[in-house]
């Protein structure tokens, strides 16, 4: 079953990714021109300096995790035989999905690492649904994130538990949804096989390099967008919706998408958003590691626009639904 | 790739990385930088070698990506942007602009923290973190800072309503999540924004309490300008 999947999905093309990128950039530019450029014009250099600092900061912070992810994915491609995955995961994809979700607890680090790793897994024959579940779960439920959530909400340990549950549920549901509705031609996966002339070491280095350049480029674009919005969008827009129940949840979820903070730190930011309800803060925590500008950008790069257009909004909606459920049950 | 590794190394070695990310990240940044440099060098070496071999080889192994052999995908050139930013825009940490934009956001600390704060004796003139001062004033009824002069170190952030705050930013991971802690300074001369100072003074009781956005006040007895510290950010206070 996994072999047929693999052949289907390599039908996607590099051109699709490029088209996706162009579309993404166009949309961003329009937003920039409408809202942000007028502010920049009337703004002092301090703001531009702050934006530049945040931009570089996001990139620098993400780099080690990107390197980790790229190294891991290159190792998967070069050194781990395909048969390993067939043995490690249950044959039935519907079972493989939850297993992959729990496996996400094993990869600590920000979401930048999970995109290349997930792409490598798919390239080696792991069912896309399971790989996608892993992609969503890993940045959200690993020990570093849970611990930092506990630290950031010292009076409210239930928040960490709620985050874990809602995130895992979202990841697994998205995996099952993909199983049911996903189509191979929405994914643009590069086949990852040994080039016969190359040694394993060379494949490793080759893979790592290409993945880094691919993912890194998109990371930079995402970071740029996030930094500009971070610095130039006034906080007052948020405060007006803080006390409206459903609107505040959606507002914080959108904020999480836009800020693109790594999952280790978002707990502290959420804790500081005092005007908002716990449900809204939980939505911020659950949505952030799964859907944000940085991630969407990298997903377009690695999987193509057709994928990102469907996957990101769906994840957004499921994540909000799970946050509301978890906050009702747990908080 | 080589350039990215080099950029990281430059940031690390000059210490300016602290402007962008938490100090502990250096342990992750060093290996990453080395990895990038090594892989980057390998690509350069392969490129040189295959050029040297010339036309004897059949055209480069078919790359499943469908772009030409070792050519970098176009998007990779975006990686140049942060390299340019670091090279040409002087590195400055976040300062008064960011601190002024947001109100204080001191969430209620845990009960243990409050007890520890109340129990620790504060000698007059003690250096205290701005965050600790804020938490003591707003959440602990000023225990530990009542009627005792303390010293706060931070940067000047002009208050649009007049006067200035002494502020410090704390980051948990990278500059993207910076949170300000501010204290209003009374009886102090005007100073330019972003200058680093140590303010010694006493807390002015009577401000709003139990509100995360409350900004306490300190009446300055002395204000001393100091050189900016190597790491301008603090860790989040818990």
């Amino acid at each position: 079953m996994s072999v047929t999947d693999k052949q289907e999905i390599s039908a996607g093309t590099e051109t699709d990714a490029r088209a996706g990128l162009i579309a993404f950039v166009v949309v961003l530019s329009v937003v920039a021109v409408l809202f942000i450029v007028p502010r920049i014009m009337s703004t002092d250099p301090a703001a531009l300096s702050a934006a530049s600092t945040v931009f570089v900061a996001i990139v620098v912070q993400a780099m080690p995790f990107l390197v980790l992810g790229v190294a891991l994915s290159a190792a998967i491609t070069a050194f781990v035989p395909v048969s390993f995955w067939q043995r490690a995961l249950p044959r039935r994809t519907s079972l493989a999905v939850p297993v992959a979700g729990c496996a996400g607890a094993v990869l600590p680090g920000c979401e930048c690492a999970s995109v290349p790793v997930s792409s490598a897994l798919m390239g080696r024959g792991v069912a896309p649904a399971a790989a996608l579940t892993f992609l969503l779960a890993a940045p959200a439920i690993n020990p570093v994130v849970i611990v930092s959530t506990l630290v950031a909400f010292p009076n409210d340990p239930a928040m960490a538990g709620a985050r874990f549950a809602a995130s895992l549920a979202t990841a697994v549901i998205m995996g099952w949804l993909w199983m049911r509705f996903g189509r191979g031609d929405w994914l643009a996966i590069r086949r990852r096989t040994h080039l016969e002339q190359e040694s394993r070491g060379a494949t490793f280095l080759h893979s790592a390099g290409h993945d880094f350049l691919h993912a890194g480029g998109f990371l930079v674009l995402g970071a740029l967008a996030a930094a500009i919005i971070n610095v130039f969008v006034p906080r007052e827009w948020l405060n007006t919706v803080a006390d409206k129940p459903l609107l505040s949840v959606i507002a914080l979820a959108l904020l999480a998408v836009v800020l693109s903070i790594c999952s280790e730190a978002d707990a502290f930011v959420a804790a500081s958003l005092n005007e908002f309800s716990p449900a809204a803060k939980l939505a911020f925590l659950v949505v952030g590691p799964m859907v944000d500008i940085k991630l969407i950008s990298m997903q377009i790069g690695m999987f193509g626009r057709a994928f990102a257009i469907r996957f990101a909004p769906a994840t957004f909606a499921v994540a909000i639904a799970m946050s509301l459920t978890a906050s009702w049950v747990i908080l | 790739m080589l350039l990215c590794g080099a950029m990281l190394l430059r940031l690390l070695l000059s210490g300016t990385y602290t402007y962008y990310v938490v100090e502990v990240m250096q342990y992750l940044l060093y290996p990453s930088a080395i990895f990038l440099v090594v892989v980057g060098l390998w690509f350069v070496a392969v490129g040189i070698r295959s050029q040297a071999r010339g036309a004897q080889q059949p055209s480069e192994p078919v790359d499943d990506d469908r772009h030409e052999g070792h050519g970098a995908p176009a998007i990779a050139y975006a990686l140049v942007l942060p390299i340019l930013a670091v090279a040409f825009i002087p590195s400055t940490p976040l300062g008064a602009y960011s601190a002024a934009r947001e109100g204080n956001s001191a969430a209620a600390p845990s009960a243990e923290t409050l007890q520890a704060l109340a129990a620790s004796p504060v000698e007059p003139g003690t250096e205290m973190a701005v965050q600790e001062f804020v938490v003591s004033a707003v959440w602990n009824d000023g225990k530990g800072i009542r009627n005792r002069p303390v010293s706060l170190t931070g940067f000047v952030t002009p208050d649009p309503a007049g006067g200035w705050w002494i502020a410090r930013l704390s980051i948990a991971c990278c500059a993207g999540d910076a949170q300000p802690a501010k204290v209003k300074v009374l009886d102090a001369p005007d100073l330019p924004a972003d200058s680093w100072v140590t303010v010694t003074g006493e807390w002015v009781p009577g401000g709003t309490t139990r509100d995360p956005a409350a900004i306490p006040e300190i009446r300055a007895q002395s204000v001393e300008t100091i050189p900016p510290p190597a790491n301008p950010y603090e860790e989040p206070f818990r």
Side-chain angles (χ1 to χ4, degrees):
Chain A
M1 174 189 177
S2 43
V3 173
T4 347
D5 274 355
K6 189 172 73 177
Q7 280 167 346
E8 266 183 17
I9 59 192
S10 43
T13 59
E14 186 77 5
T15 345
D16 190 37
R18 214 157 276 173
L21 167 68
I22 293 175
F24 186 62
V25 168
V26 166
V27 167
L28 273 189
S29 318
V30 168
V31 169
V33 166
L34 285 182
F35 293 112
I36 295 169
V37 171
R39 294 184 72 89
I40 297 184
M41 293 312 194
S42 58
T43 270
D44 57 328
L48 289 176
S49 162
S52 159
T53 303
V54 171
F55 165 59
V56 175
I58 296 180
V59 172
V60 168
Q61 177 272 322
M63 283 262 160
F65 298 107
L66 184 61
V67 166
L68 172 69
V70 157
L72 262 183
S73 78
I76 289 174
T77 305
F79 299 125
V80 178
V82 175
S83 53
F84 172 81
W85 300 113
Q86 288 166 346
R87 274 179 291 132
L89 287 176
R91 300 214 118 247
R92 292 189 38 209
T93 313
S94 52
L95 290 179
V97 162
V99 169
C102 296
V106 150
L107 183 70
C110 102
E111 55 254 29
C112 313
S114 60
V115 174
V117 171
S118 166
S119 167
L121 288 175
M122 284 194 234
R124 298 299 271 167
V126 171
L132 290 174
T133 300
F134 181 81
L135 172 90
L136 292 179
I141 65 171
N142 66 74
V144 175
V145 168
I146 302 298
V147 166
S148 78
T149 310
L150 285 169
V151 170
F153 288 93
N155 300 325
D156 204 359
M159 184 63 93
R163 174 183 203 167
F164 184 91
S167 303
L168 187 54
T170 307
V172 170
I173 289 181
M174 285 305 298
W176 282 333
L177 280 180
W178 182 268
M179 255 180 62
R180 177 74 182 76
F181 296 110
R183 291 204 339 235
D185 52 334
W186 290 343
L187 269 179
I189 302 291
R190 309 202 300 279
R191 272 170 296 134
R192 291 158 181 272
T193 50
H194 288 300
L195 304 173
E196 275 68 32
Q197 304 92 312
E198 277 192 332
S199 68
R200 288 189 169 195
T203 306
F204 174 84
L205 290 170
H206 216 120
S207 232
H210 270 290
D211 277 348
F212 180 82
L213 290 180
H214 247 100
F218 285 99
L219 164 71
V220 165
L221 288 186
L224 188 58
I228 290 181
I229 299 181
N230 186 320
V231 172
F232 287 109
V233 169
R235 183 88 180 250
E236 298 84 57
W237 290 3
L238 265 193
N239 294 339
T240 47
V241 296
D243 46 358
K244 304 180 179 49
L246 192 57
L247 216 48
S248 65
V249 169
I250 296 182
L252 277 197
L254 283 175
L255 182 69
V257 170
V258 152
L259 282 188
S260 305
I261 312 177
C262 72
S263 41
E264 280 84 2
D266 57 9
F268 293 101
V269 176
S272 76
L273 294 165
N274 303 292
E275 311 88 26
F276 290 87
S277 63
K281 291 187 208 176
L282 182 63
F284 183 86
L285 294 178
V286 173
V287 170
M290 300 190 181
V291 188
D292 64 34
I293 295 187
K294 197 174 57 178
L295 256 185
I296 294 178
S297 182
M298 286 174 71
Q299 281 172 1
I300 294 181
M302 290 232 120
F303 302 127
R305 179 186 50 142
F307 170 81
I309 275 188
R310 291 169 176 89
F311 194 72
T315 312
F316 185 80
V318 173
I320 290 188
M322 286 301 109
S323 310
L324 288 173
T325 315
S327 67
W328 181 67
V329 169
I330 301 180
L331 290 177
Chain B
M1 271 191 79
L2 199 52
L3 285 179
C4 274
M7 171 187 86
L8 285 182
L9 278 179
R10 199 198 99 170
L11 283 181
L12 284 167
L13 294 175
S14 68
T16 19
Y17 74 95
T18 51
Y19 291 170
Y20 301 107
V21 293
V22 211
E23 228 161 272
V24 73
M25 287 277 299
Q26 64 177 307
Y27 302 114
L28 293 174
L29 286 173
Y30 274 115
S32 315
I34 294 174
F35 181 87
L36 287 175
V37 168
V38 164
V39 180
L41 283 174
W42 181 83
F43 268 91
V44 169
V46 167
I48 293 178
R49 232 188 310 149
S50 64
Q51 270 175 354
R53 274 198 218 120
Q56 292 162 356
Q57 222 47 346
S59 53
E60 281 131 346
V62 172
D63 214 298
D64 1 319
D65 296 348
R66 265 178 258 182
H67 47 248
E68 343 66 57
H70 294 292
I75 186 61
Y77 288 106
L79 281 171
V80 161
L81 283 176
I83 298 174
L84 288 178
V86 168
F88 293 113
I89 302 182
S91 301
T92 43
L94 295 180
Y97 176 80
S98 306
R101 289 186 75 230
E102 300 188 9
N104 261 6
S105 38
S110 65
E112 296 93 42
T113 312
L114 288 176
Q115 276 175 343
L117 277 183
S120 60
V122 176
E123 303 293 324
T126 306
E127 266 289 322
M128 180 180 278
V130 176
Q131 288 181 85
E132 190 181 335
F133 186 92
V134 171
V135 167
S136 299
V138 172
W139 293 101
N140 220 13
D141 297 315
K143 291 196 189 67
I145 57 176
R146 191 182 288 273
N147 295 328
R148 283 199 195 102
V150 293
S151 290
L152 300 177
T153 299
F155 55 88
V156 172
T157 301
D159 182 355
W164 50 274
W165 298 298
I166 183 167
R168 225 29 217 276
L169 291 164
S170 62
I171 58 176
C173 183
C174 76
D177 54 80
Q179 305 284 324
K182 301 199 284 265
V183 176
K184 185 67 182 279
V185 181
L186 306 173
D187 291 352
D190 270 334
L191 286 169
D194 281 314
S195 20
W196 279 83
V197 291
T198 299
V199 171
T200 309
E202 275 189 33
W203 172 55
V204 179
T208 332
T209 54
R210 305 267 183 279
D211 178 2
I215 300 180
E217 298 174 333
I218 187 172
R219 193 172 297 280
Q221 293 161 355
S222 73
V223 175
E224 186 195 329
T225 41
I226 58 172
N231 185 356
Y233 307 115
E234 294 176 327
E235 304 238 330
F237 179 84
R238 283 293 159 232

